[in-house]
Amino acid sequence: MTSSPEPCHKQVHRPGKAALQKRLARLEGQVRAVREMVEADRYCVDIITQIQAARAALAAVAEQLLDEHLQGCVARALQSGQGEAETAELIALLRKFR
């Protein structure tokens, strides 16, 4: 009986967790700043600039997680010969990036 790879839809070990948490904390600050700017009736262009910075930070978090998923879950599934389902899931995930 062959062992199946660790299911990745459950809890996983994340080596870059500290860096990810730091990015997310910074992102929380950016979103809070947008709210405060709106409350303070700041100039629209300044608010939109801050929103774009937050969007870029969120995209960077998603890219880091995608990289970890590819190097971990997907690589293990392919090596174990069970890559078909993982590949289908990855394709569906990539469609969300559009």
Side-chain angles (χ1 to χ4, degrees):
M1 180 177 201
T2 61
S3 65
S4 61
E6 181 180 321
C8 291
H9 60 284
K10 297 189 179 184
Q11 205 167 20
V12 296
H13 171 68
R14 184 162 282 111
K17 185 176 182 177
L20 187 62
Q21 288 175 316
K22 187 175 180 178
R23 282 182 174 209
L24 289 169
R26 196 172 328 130
L27 181 59
E28 284 178 306
Q30 288 175 308
V31 172
R32 193 170 29 261
V34 169
R35 186 187 71 234
E36 291 168 0
M37 292 171 81
V38 169
E39 289 172 1
D41 295 323
R42 295 277 304 271
Y43 186 53
C44 296
V45 172
D46 293 340
I47 297 170
I48 291 168
T49 300
Q50 185 66 28
I51 290 170
Q52 288 305 110
R55 288 177 68 181
L58 193 56
V61 168
E63 288 172 13
Q64 180 180 343
L65 287 168
L66 179 60
D67 185 56
E68 289 178 12
H69 182 63
L70 286 168
Q71 292 184 33
C73 298
V74 175
R76 279 192 303 277
L78 291 171
Q79 288 171 353
S80 69
Q82 299 179 351
E84 195 171 311
E86 199 69 40
T87 302
E89 181 184 53
L90 180 60
I91 290 169
L93 178 64
L94 290 174
R95 286 189 176 122
K96 293 178 183 180
F97 272 80
R98 288 190 227 174

